[in-house]
Amino acid sequence: MTEAGTTASVPEPVAGREPDELALAAEFDRPDREDWRKLVAGVLRKTGALPEGFTGPPESLLTSTTYDGIAVQPLYTAEDTEDTEDTVPPAGFPGLPPFVRGTRPEGAMRTGWDVRALHLDPDPAATNRAALADLAGGVRSLWLRVGAGALPPDALGDALHEVYVELAPVVLDAGADQPAAAEALLAVFAERGIPDSEVVGNVGADPIGLRARTGQATGGADAAAAAALAADLAGRYPNLRTMVVDALPYHEAGGADTQELGAAIATGVAYLRALTGAGLAVDDAAARLEFRLAATADQFLTIAKLRAARRLWARVTEVAGVSPAARGMRQHAVTSPAMLTRRDPWVNLLRGCVAGFAAGVGGADAVTVLPFDGAIGLPDAFSRRIARNTQAILLEESKLAGVIDPAGGSWYVERLTDEVARAAWREFTAIERDGGIEAVLESGTLAGRLAETWAARERRLATRADAITGVSEFPLLDEKPVRRPPLPPAVRAGGGLPRVRYAQEYERLRDRADAHLAAHGTRPRIFLATLGPVAAHTARATFAANLFTAGGVEPVNPGAGGSAEEVAAAFRDSGARIACLCGTDTAYREQGATVVDALRAAGAEAVYLAGKPADDLPAGLRFVHAGCDALAVLRETLDTLGVAP
């Protein structure tokens, strides 16, 4: 019956179908994979992407491989999840082991995730103003950088003035100054008369992360000392977490997602051993930990990584004897510092939104969206506001937390979660075989594996197979630089694993070109020797302009091309010293040699051609094409033009 009291209409049964089958699909045949493959092959054949005589499955030509070695297929069906687990269902149920679908049965439906803001300013007054503004704008917890070169531990009370620390948890990131910072934070609670049972937050001990970041553990901040402090605090402050497993150093060294996870799980195991060795029961030891993981603009890998991480930790804690209810992983997801750009930083707004979305969908307990200007210097009030409002939109307007594990059941996500978990487990067990996380940091074996991944990533960045919008693709040559105060020394310090950003090599080239502009009043230029009408050369001219602009080289496009003499005259008028031919393959064969000779006679010091090398092209040309090493081309171009490194 309907609400009006009338009988609801019931669809008539369809011949050959059960009554409960979807009536809307009743008139359609059920497709199978072979039908789809034929359609794929037809499209690939029309585009020329299917080689003659190719006998493999056509979808293999559309398969991509992650830096973890995982093959991402163009289509997933229920068949792809049939072999994803040996004995235990890979997803399970929300709130139950293996916690793939989250650690709470209700998910984040009632409260959303914890919106956490990072504060780096060493000035306690500035930090206090920013923290109060964040909390008033929807932030729920504060992540404070404390210690040498950052906020002084003895200024923590001033930085937290008027902050209700019992309601807005504070997470410390104090490095070697962690004991002093922990003491200062607890003093704030004591001064305000807050009962020990209501003390919340995380004092942030992470000696292994400190070693990964700096290359050494100092000030007594080793695992045993940190565990002893944690054990001492656990009995008095039952709701206070004491240790962080920070996996960002492995991500920021250029590592793959599974390398980050393997190192994180190995660190968690090391901390479990230290905490139980200090006298804590294994359940209490697991409750002291929070894991910090990177969220990137690759939304599906981020979702799968967070889900896989919970599955891995549930397995480790099961073996360690942790009770089922205590096996859940507390996750803090941070939008990737490595993906932030200094050039065209406004695009970071979009990266942060996608990464924050993925972190929420992936089930992170706390999420930090880094401000878009975080790679430039200390964020300002505007960038901080946009960062927190990004999460407000995801939570309040998009209702993203209104569904428990929204990606669960997706054949792609479930398969990817399983493959990430298995690859990360192999990385974790390799670390354990080599003596554990501290041993592989000491020996450099982990650094070597991370360097191999970074080298592979560098190759794809150089060829623009991994595009960086606004930097390597669609750069804005005349963008107005964004200026910010420099980051404090504690943030910039190195000494351990390298800290890289994906855009850094392109930005170094842009810096060279900008310095040339400042010194000489003009940018380095390249003349686009366009052959034929606009319709004939525009595709390759646009490609070449995009590539050279990525290095700060100004392209000069004269429009429709004429005779060789006219092209040479336009080159002389442009003030450029090098040129790039842009046209069709036919135009290259018919006009190329004549135009190249005319350009060289007009003074061109080097001539590029937008296209791949061929036997019937003039000798002595340089080539730019899809898949070429754009960074090498740009360095060569700037060197030819005498632009100082």
Side-chain angles (χ1 to χ4, degrees), residues 190-285:
E191 290 167 3
R192 300 181 185 182
I194 298 170
D196 293 347
S197 61
E198 296 181 20
V199 172
V200 292
N202 195 324
V203 298
D206 184 24
I208 294 175
L210 174 66
R211 183 171 192 170
R213 184 74 77 191
T214 66
Q216 58 183 351
T218 58
D222 59 288
L229 175 63
D232 181 58
L233 297 176
R236 184 175 175 184
Y237 306 102
N239 296 313
L240 178 68
R241 294 181 186 269
T242 48
M243 303 193 78
V244 169
V245 177
D246 189 358
L248 292 184
Y250 315 104
H251 170 77
E252 290 188 81
D257 292 284
T258 56
Q259 291 173 320
E260 178 189 349
L261 283 189
I265 300 300
T267 302
V269 167
Y271 288 161
L272 274 185
R273 291 171 179 149
L275 289 166
T276 54
L280 282 179
V282 67
D283 277 22
D284 289 338

Side-chain angles (χ1 to χ4, degrees), residues 116 143 170-174 178 201-210 226 230 241-250 264 267-268 271 275 285 287-293 330-332 334:
R116 184 171 296 174
W143 174 18
V170 174
V171 177
L172 299 179
D173 187 351
Q178 186 271 329
N202 195 324
V203 298
D206 184 24
I208 294 175
L210 174 66
R241 294 181 186 269
T242 48
M243 303 193 78
V244 169
V245 177
D246 189 358
L248 292 184
Y250 315 104
T267 302
Y271 288 161
L275 289 166
R288 302 304 110 193
L289 302 180
E290 181 175 71
F291 289 74
R292 185 175 295 141
L293 301 166
R330 171 76 182 180
Q331 291 180 336
H332 173 204
V334 182

Side-chain angles (χ1 to χ4, degrees), residues 425-626:
W425 187 262
R426 289 192 294 271
E427 178 68 24
F428 160 63
T429 53
I431 291 172
E432 288 296 288
R433 281 196 304 270
D434 288 341
I437 186 66
E438 292 184 275
V440 296
L441 287 172
E442 177 68 25
S443 67
T445 56
L446 178 57
R449 290 200 294 271
L450 294 171
E452 290 176 1
T453 303
W454 172 237
R457 195 185 298 272
E458 278 191 303
R459 288 192 292 272
R460 289 184 59 83
L461 290 167
T463 60
R464 302 192 297 175
D466 286 353
I468 307 174
T469 304
V471 178
S472 67
E473 295 282 0
F474 312 113
L476 184 61
L477 190 62
D478 296 324
E479 66 174 295
K480 184 178 180 179
V482 175
R483 308 293 186 189
R484 294 289 185 268
L487 292 169
V491 180
R492 294 182 277 110
L497 295 174
R499 180 179 286 182
V500 301
R501 288 185 305 105
Y502 305 148
Q504 63 189 27
E505 293 303 318
Y506 287 98
E507 290 175 343
R508 288 189 180 114
L509 294 172
R510 291 285 295 275
D511 290 345
R512 285 179 64 182
D514 283 358
H516 182 87
L517 171 63
H520 301 280
T522 58
R523 287 193 173 278
R525 292 177 180 173
I526 186 165
F527 177 78
L528 303 183
T530 51
L531 306 183
V534 171
H537 67 243
T538 188
R540 279 176 166 160
T542 301
F543 170 85
N546 195 38
L547 187 151
F548 286 106
T549 302
V553 179
E554 179 184 356
V556 180
N557 189 332
S563 65
E565 291 74 18
E566 291 171 328
V567 171
F571 169 76
R572 282 191 293 267
D573 293 341
S574 71
R577 293 161 50 195
I578 58 176
C580 179
L581 262 65
C582 303
T584 63
D585 291 340
T586 300
Y588 290 157
R589 287 192 297 270
E590 294 176 352
Q591 299 176 258
T594 304
V595 172
V596 169
D597 288 342
L599 288 169
R600 287 171 175 163
E605 298 174 24
V607 180
Y608 289 88
L609 182 143
K612 293 187 176 181
D615 293 337
D616 55 355
L617 295 174
L621 292 175
R622 302 174 182 178
F623 297 90
V624 291
H625 53 82

Side-chain angles (χ1 to χ4, degrees), residues 20-179:
D20 60 349
E21 289 198 58
L22 182 64
L24 291 175
E27 299 177 7
F28 298 93
D29 293 330
R30 188 183 299 275
D32 60 27
R33 190 179 287 267
E34 286 306 315
D35 293 332
W36 174 77
R37 281 176 172 156
K38 291 176 183 176
L39 293 172
V40 170
V43 173
L44 293 177
R45 192 174 292 111
K46 289 179 181 178
T47 62
L50 186 69
E52 283 294 328
F54 184 80
T55 58
E59 68 266 28
S60 65
L61 299 174
L62 302 175
T63 299
S64 60
T65 303
T66 71
Y67 292 105
D68 311 278
I70 296 170
V72 177
Q73 307 296 332
L75 177 71
Y76 287 83
T77 69
E79 299 172 1
D80 293 297
T81 61
E82 291 176 354
D83 61 343
T84 56
E85 184 60 38
D86 300 323
T87 56
V88 180
F93 297 97
L96 295 175
F99 299 109
V100 172
R101 305 199 65 190
T103 56
R104 293 178 289 175
E106 76 281 9
M109 290 183 64
R110 289 188 298 178
T111 61
W113 59 78
D114 175 1
V115 178
R116 184 171 296 174
L118 173 63
H119 291 267
L120 302 171
D121 200 316
D123 180 355
T127 296
N128 181 249
R129 288 193 299 271
L132 292 175
D134 276 342
L135 293 169
V139 165
R140 300 181 188 177
S141 65
L142 303 174
W143 174 18
L144 304 182
R145 188 67 56 83
V146 182
L151 187 69
D154 59 8
L156 202 53
D158 295 332
L160 295 174
H161 179 62
E162 295 186 345
V163 173
Y164 293 95
V165 290
E166 70 275 26
L167 301 177
V170 174
V171 177
L172 299 179
D173 187 351
D177 293 306
Q178 186 271 329

